[in-house]
Amino acid sequence: MAHLSSMLDFGVRTVGSRANEIFVPEYILREVAAMDRHSHPENKIEVDVQHPSGGFNTGFLGGFANTYTRVTNVVVRLSPQGVDADATPAMLVGAHFDSSIGTVGASDDLVNVAVLMEALRTLALVKTTRPIVFNLNGAEEMNWQAAHGFITQHPWAQNLRAVLNLEAAGAGGREMVIQNGPANAWIAREYAAHVPYPHVHGVAQLLFQSGKLPVGTDFQVYRDYSRHPKGKLPGMDWAVIQNGHVYHTPQDDLASVDPGHVQRLGENVVAFVTGVAASPHFENPGPLADAADSMYDILGLFIVSISHNAAVVVNFGCLVAAVLALRDAGLLELGARALLRVTLPAFGAAVAAPMLVGAFYTFTGQHILWYSHQWFAYLLFSAPAFLGIGAVYRAYLEGHPGRARAAVQDEVVAGATLFYSALLLPLALMGHTLTSFLVWVWFIPFLAKWAYERVLRLVVFDGMWVVPSMVYFVGAVPGLVVWWHFYMAIMDFFLPLTARIGNEVPPNVLVGVISGALLGLQMLIPMAAVLEAPQHLLRRVARGVLGGFAVCLFAAVALLHTPYTPARPKRVIIQHVARSWHTAGSEGATHSDAGLWIIPMDYEGFRNMQRSWPALANAADVACTAADGLYCDRPWYFPVMKMLGGSRWAEAPPPATPAVTLTVLNDTRSAVDGEDRRVVTVRVRGPSHMNAVVGQRGGDARLVRWSLTDTLPVVRDDCNCIWICHNQGAPDAWVGAASVLEAAGSSASAHVGHNKHKAAHRYNFAPLHTELLVWEFTMEFAGPGPASVAVYGQYLDAPMSEELRDAQDTLPAWASAITFSSSWASYQL
């Protein structure tokens, strides 16, 4: 915790800030120098401060170009003495020390940097077997720019064979394997064999690796842009996901970090890195390079890791065993009838009931009342799911008055077993083995009952009285335990996420569907197992559940007036913006304005703030569509216009920050195959964080090539434009690694590829870049129309304007704001 506390003292660490480009790198270098003095005599520690420049296109958030200049990587290599580390296959371990805007980012991701520093110290005390490269980077929050610069440009990245990346989507709790692979089963086996506190779930891996969630990490960049012989660098991505309420907020401070988590994570990192580095498969995995293992976390206690082929055999084996047992019991046809008449309706009711409850609250304007009371979400959405299943089961039971309840129960369980068989079959055929155990675990109840009827009753329980329905219930216990653990993990992740995914999807409906689907899959057989219970007892249970649900409904309307608390705040973004429009041939701006642009980040919008926040008194609604200017003619920090709707604009005097400007350096016109062509070179002056938008609407000249990336990114469908993110990190004059290490008296070798000048005084929090930075690039256009370009920049380190200060100071105590000034300018070239 000492490393973490010391680095947190430097404050917010956005790209281009002193804290990010000078203070934290210097701290890391001094600590590495001290580690080197106490390392094993047969180890060698090398340090390189890299400042790469480059760019790449990404499909993240709808697609954009991601460019950077002189971002910062602090790279440390631990290797054995006498070994050519450049020619020896190495392992990469990474985390990032930059923070998102408005937060010191203790959990995301500074604590992981501190853990890796301590892991380096521990590993350096014993003789290492091969090179281990630590990349502590300063530009992850800006879409993995520093990781891209390292993996594509650094000489130590040429011979990597495995990677471990540490991330955070919350604060505290146990870190989970959220990405694994590709293939290389040997890495999963080393994890299962060596990590003392494992935590992995196949569904989490599928979600994070699907690209469907609005999240990303350095791991994808290390994996996809590496120079690995097989094309993609294999490895693992670990992240904490609990307490996502503080993620990217000022509440992500030292108090949010659990010391027990830090200790546990450190032990896991050291054990995993040691095991992977010493693996006989590291340099030549052989057949394991193309093989994949499926890992199953059994309640976080231990890991079951089996090969993909073995998992396929288990899937089909369970499937065949279940069908044969149903046939032997004479329940195959009855189960098929029950599947259509009761199982599918029961599952549909389990999903529909909480979804309708969510829709009701959305209609009444109570959007996320459960946000700061997570237990309330469990009660609000689980009760309708239970009641939905129970209502269908009761109707089916009452529809067969002449049959014994035990026979109806067998039929319902058989229908549920066929339902799970229908789910498992496509998973088995497509080879999706990461999640299949969640399905075949529900074969256990019927197989247990079949084994009891055919074998155990005669051999083990001969002469003993056993209630048959109890066999079902006991067989359902493993599924209940595994699924409840899974349900809690999913809800822990998704409930906090609803506060930052905008207003595209009603969160009540989303959480209702997720909760209903999970509970429906979980409770079909356990609720069938109690069908033999006395009717009066079942009615009492139903009344209790209904009563609890009624209490929740009353509490939602009468008691929980706001869903937020200071610990789980509402998130808003406040920008003090100056805008200007420049037409072709005009001198200066033809039009300009300024104001406070206020953006809510959740579905609630400003409903709870309208009367309590003076900043909204004179603010007008902002409507943004693809036809509204160049990306709504507003300085979006990320391209999330479609996601974050409902913003407002309040006129105000312009901020004191300088205007971002665009100057045409060269404009060459020609014709290619009878088509007009223009090659335009521009110079943009602005702060360390800048963006550009190139219009591709009807009437705009078509962009066909440029100098920023090898190919053009996609034309976004939410604006008919191309969106560019650009960041500038360290200035040309930076002290560098060598002088820091020399001052510390270290023998560690340092590679510094930039000018060395005297560093600014430590703890001087004045802006790092005292003059506007220059960003130059060239674009080639086709067609007769004008070239429409907007450029803008965010002054993240500038002193807060009086208008921003007033807006922030009058915020309700349960709200958290990200504030900065921006300059936006549109040009027709």
Side-chain angles (χ1 to χ4, degrees), residues 31-317:
E31 293 301 314
V32 171
M35 296 175 194
D36 182 61
R37 291 194 297 270
H38 298 93
S39 65
H40 192 281
E42 296 187 47
N43 288 340
K44 176 174 60 175
I45 295 180
E46 302 166 275
V47 180
D48 184 22
V49 178
Q50 182 200 24
H51 293 306
S53 301
F56 61 102
N57 298 328
T58 175
F60 185 59
L61 296 177
F64 58 92
N66 203 9
T67 67
Y68 53 92
T69 300
R70 293 185 60 79
V71 294
T72 299
N73 286 310
V74 180
V75 192
V76 184
R77 182 166 67 181
L78 172 67
S79 57
Q81 290 280 6
V83 171
D84 184 357
D86 292 332
T88 305
M91 181 178 183
L92 172 64
V93 187
H96 67 93
F97 53 78
D98 65 311
S99 66
S100 183
I101 49 177
T103 177
V104 294
S107 298
D108 180 27
D109 192 40
L110 201 59
V111 67
N112 289 330
V113 172
V115 166
L116 290 190
M117 292 172 64
E118 196 61 20
L120 170 63
R121 183 193 66 80
T122 302
L123 293 169
L125 293 176
V126 297
K127 182 180 178 180
T128 188
T129 56
R130 68 173 60 258
I132 301 171
V133 178
F134 292 78
N135 184 37
L136 309 178
N137 82 75
E140 188 275 344
E141 297 293 353
M142 298 318 305
N143 311 301
W144 334 291
Q145 293 172 342
H148 182 267
F150 169 78
I151 203 68
T152 59
Q153 301 176 38
H154 201 284
W156 295 353
Q158 294 181 6
N159 213 10
L160 299 174
R161 293 294 182 269
V163 59
L164 170 63
N165 185 65
L166 301 184
E167 254 299 347
R174 302 170 58 194
E175 73 284 353
M176 177 186 289
V177 178
I178 61 171
Q179 298 188 82
N180 176 35
N184 284 271
W186 65 275
I187 295 179
R189 295 178 188 181
E190 296 298 339
Y191 179 89
H194 295 284
V195 170
Y197 309 105
H199 192 31
V200 59
H201 211 293
V203 174
Q205 294 177 49
L206 288 178
L207 287 173
F208 278 90
Q209 293 176 173
S210 68
K212 303 301 182 183
L213 296 177
V215 293
T217 74
D218 286 332
F219 177 80
Q220 291 105 310
V221 171
Y222 290 141
R223 178 193 64 201
D224 297 342
Y225 288 91
S226 74
R227 289 163 274 181
H228 190 271
K230 287 278 188 178
K232 290 193 174 185
L233 181 64
M236 284 188 170
D237 200 12
W238 299 356
V240 294
I241 63 172
Q242 289 187 7
N243 194 16
H245 304 88
V246 307
Y247 176 74
H248 286 187
T249 71
Q251 284 74 15
D252 185 11
D253 54 16
L254 186 63
S256 69
V257 178
D258 176 14
H261 154 68
V262 177
Q263 178 65 34
R264 184 173 57 243
L265 174 59
E267 293 180 32
N268 281 351
V269 168
V270 171
F272 180 71
V273 172
T274 302
V276 170
S279 172
H281 305 292
F282 190 93
E283 295 192 24
N284 183 22
L288 294 179
D290 300 313
D293 265 16
S294 297
M295 293 191 298
Y296 306 110
D297 177 349
I298 308 303
L299 304 181
L301 301 176
F302 60 92
I303 292 289
V304 175
S305 178
I306 62 176
S307 70
H308 174 79
N309 292 336
V312 170
V313 171
V314 170
N315 287 345
F316 279 107

Side-chain angles (χ1 to χ4, degrees), residues 269-596:
V269 168
V270 171
F272 180 71
V273 172
T274 302
V276 170
S279 172
H281 305 292
F282 190 93
E283 295 192 24
N284 183 22
L288 294 179
D290 300 313
D293 265 16
S294 297
M295 293 191 298
Y296 306 110
D297 177 349
I298 308 303
L299 304 181
L301 301 176
F302 60 92
I303 292 289
V304 175
S305 178
I306 62 176
S307 70
H308 174 79
N309 292 336
V312 170
V313 171
V314 170
N315 287 345
F316 279 107
C318 291
L319 186 62
V320 171
V323 173
L324 291 178
L326 286 169
R327 182 179 179 183
D328 181 70
L331 290 171
L332 192 57
E333 293 183 4
L334 292 174
R337 183 180 66 180
L339 170 64
L340 298 177
R341 294 183 180 181
V342 64
T343 305
L344 291 178
F347 180 73
V351 177
M355 181 184 70
L356 291 174
V357 170
F360 168 76
Y361 278 112
T362 299
F363 177 77
T364 59
Q366 311 290 322
H367 297 301
I368 51 174
L369 282 175
W370 34 262
Y371 179 69
S372 58
H373 309 278
Q374 199 156 305
W375 58 269
F376 181 69
Y378 300 145
L379 294 176
L380 186 66
F381 295 114
S382 62
F386 291 146
L387 291 172
I389 297 174
V392 173
Y393 279 4
R394 180 178 180 182
Y396 191 75
L397 186 63
E398 292 179 350
H400 298 79
R403 297 182 61 193
R405 289 185 191 174
V408 176
Q409 181 185 60
D410 288 340
E411 188 174 322
V412 172
V413 173
T417 303
L418 285 176
F419 174 73
Y420 292 117
S421 301
L423 292 179
L424 183 61
L425 181 59
L427 291 175
L429 290 174
M430 293 185 293
H432 293 318
T433 59
L434 287 173
T435 57
S436 57
F437 86 102
L438 289 171
V439 179
W440 56 252
V441 73
W442 289 117
F443 292 163
I444 297 176
F446 183 79
L447 291 175
K449 177 70 179 306
W450 176 83
Y452 167 76
E453 295 286 351
R454 290 292 184 268
V455 180
L456 299 179
R457 185 174 62 177
L458 302 176
V459 177
V460 179
F461 298 103
D462 186 23
M464 299 175 61
W465 180 78
V466 177
V467 179
S469 61
M470 289 300 297
V471 180
Y472 281 138
F473 195 80
V474 171
V477 168
L480 281 171
V481 173
V482 168
W483 268 85
W484 188 252
H485 183 251
F486 169 56
Y487 173 76
M488 296 297 290
I490 293 295
M491 297 295 278
D492 280 346
F493 175 74
F494 271 102
L495 291 182
L497 188 66
T498 57
R500 57 182 191 272
I501 59 174
N503 65 345
E504 278 193 291
V505 180
N508 279 328
V509 176
L510 175 65
V511 174
V513 169
I514 293 173
S515 181
L518 295 178
L519 290 170
L521 290 169
Q522 179 179 350
M523 298 306 298
L524 288 175
I525 288 181
M527 291 188 68
V530 298
L531 284 177
E532 248 194 315
Q535 287 295 298
H536 70 276
L537 178 60
L538 294 179
R539 283 194 293 268
R540 289 178 181 176
V541 172
R543 291 192 193 106
V545 174
L546 187 60
F549 178 59
V551 170
C552 287
L553 291 176
F554 173 78
V557 176
L559 303 178
L560 304 176
H561 298 292
T562 176
Y564 311 103
T565 65
R568 297 181 175 185
K570 178 181 180 61
R571 302 163 187 249
V572 295
I573 303 171
I574 314 173
Q575 294 192 47
H576 193 179
V577 182
R579 301 189 297 173
S580 61
W581 289 260
H582 307 255
T583 58
S586 65
E587 293 186 6
T590 57
H591 174 62
S592 64
D593 68 5
L596 291 183

